[in-house]
């Protein structure tokens, strides 16, 4: 299989963490993709032009990160990072949706400064996105998942906090200090987090 990816994407990090945990690294080649490049084959595989996109052995393109995680869980035997039973399944999927929403808003904040000239930026719209990030992290702090667990909910939580540490859209360590021991405990228990840390390459 092929994973179209970039080392800095938090959504790609979710998938890379799952690949390591599920023991699928030998079966998946990670290939660098550039969503901004119209010539990149990424747009052929995912018409939305977003990473991550997984190309299966029978050339099926699978996206987005949530669907990829579900597929990888199935490939590895099922019920490993997404519980089969309810309500546990509902809880972890909802936590993942919350963290993906934090990341969607956080990524849009980065894109505003990357793609839009300073004179046409709209601060109220940035505040609107920051509000989603802050409310989302507050919800996590109010009801954090068990950091000893490794499932799509805790994977996404760690990736969201890690991305905010990397891009600094929100100083969550000051505003929500109860999450500091949460991330420390998750890191200590799951080597997959540090193994997939964002690395800036030229
Ligand atoms: N919902 C998607 C979000 C993926 C996403 O936004 N990826 C970013 C990189 S972090 C991207 O490819 N952006 C390019 C674009 O929006 O055109 C997922 O979970 O995979």
């Amino acid at each position: 299989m092929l994973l179209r990816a970039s080392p800095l994407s938090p959504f790609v990090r979710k998938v890379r963490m799952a690949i390591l945990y599920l023991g699928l690294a030998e079966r998946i080649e990670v290939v660098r993709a550039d969503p901004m490049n119209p010539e990149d084959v990424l747009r052929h595989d995912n018409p939305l032009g977003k990473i991550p996109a997984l190309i299966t052995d029978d050339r099926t393109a699978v996206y987005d990160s949530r669907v990829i995680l579900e597929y990888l869980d199935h490939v590895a035997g099922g019920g490993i990072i997404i519980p089969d039973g309810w309500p546990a399944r509902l809880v972890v999927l909802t936590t993942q949706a919350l963290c993906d929403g934090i990341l969607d808003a956080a990524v849009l904040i980065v894109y505003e400064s990357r793609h839009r000239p300073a004179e046409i930026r709209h601060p109220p719209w940035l505040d609107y996105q920051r509000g989603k990030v802050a409310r989302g992290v507050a919800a996590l702090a109010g009801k954090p998942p068990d950091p000893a667990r490794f499932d799509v909910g805790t994977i996404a939580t760690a990736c969201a906090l890690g991305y905010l540490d990397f891009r600094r859209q929100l100083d969550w360590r000051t505003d929500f200090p109860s999450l500091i021991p949460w991330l420390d405990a998750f890191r200590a228990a799951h080597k997959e987090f540090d193994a997939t840390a964002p690395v800036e390459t030229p």
Side-chain angles (χ1 to χ4, degrees):
M1 292 185 268
L2 274 185
L3 180 70
R4 302 209 184 284
S6 129
L8 304 184
S9 163
F11 296 101
V12 168
R13 189 179 192 180
K14 287 171 57 189
V15 174
R16 290 174 56 223
M17 284 172 64
I19 288 172
L20 291 176
Y21 184 79
L22 296 170
L24 297 172
E26 306 267 286
R27 292 181 56 183
I28 301 174
E29 184 187 353
V30 179
V31 180
R32 182 88 182 233
D34 178 3
M36 291 299 293
N37 178 2
E39 306 304 322
D40 196 304
V41 66
L42 173 68
R43 293 185 190 186
H44 169 77
D45 289 327
N46 177 358
L48 302 175
K50 294 191 181 197
I51 48 173
L54 180 79
I55 317 305
T56 66
D57 288 334
D58 68 1
R59 299 291 306 159
T60 302
V62 180
Y63 46 86
D64 58 5
S65 65
R66 279 182 249 196
V67 184
I68 296 171
L69 290 185
E70 177 139 12
Y71 178 70
L72 295 179
D73 187 59
H74 158 74
V75 168
I80 305 168
I81 57 170
I82 307 178
D84 285 329
W86 300 77
R89 183 177 178 86
L90 193 64
V91 170
V92 305
L93 289 175
T94 304
T95 302
Q96 177 177 222
L98 174 67
C99 295
D100 283 2
I102 293 170
L103 285 173
D104 282 333
V107 165
L108 286 178
I109 292 167
V110 172
Y111 287 176
E112 178 80 359
S113 56
R114 187 178 296 166
H115 298 300
R116 198 183 280 262
E119 60 277 13
I120 57 168
R121 284 184 205 145
H122 188 52
W125 187 87
L126 282 171
D127 287 343
Y128 182 68
Q129 299 304 330
R130 283 193 199 102
K132 292 178 194 288
V133 175
R135 291 192 305 275
V137 177
L140 283 175
K143 208 174 170 189
D146 177 357
R149 287 192 51 83
F150 193 92
D151 57 40
V152 296
T154 55
I155 293 170
T157 301
C159 287
L161 296 177
Y163 190 61
L164 296 175
D165 271 341
F166 179 53
R167 296 291 194 200
R168 309 254 164 228
Q169 297 92 335
L170 174 81
D171 182 4
W172 65 267
R173 289 176 183 271
T174 298
D175 296 348
F176 304 100
S178 66
L179 287 171
I180 298 172
W182 187 94
L183 191 57
D184 289 345
F186 183 85
R187 282 181 70 187
H190 309 295
K191 60 185 183 318
E192 294 81 3
F193 184 69
D194 282 345
T196 56
V199 179
E200 304 250 29
T201 50

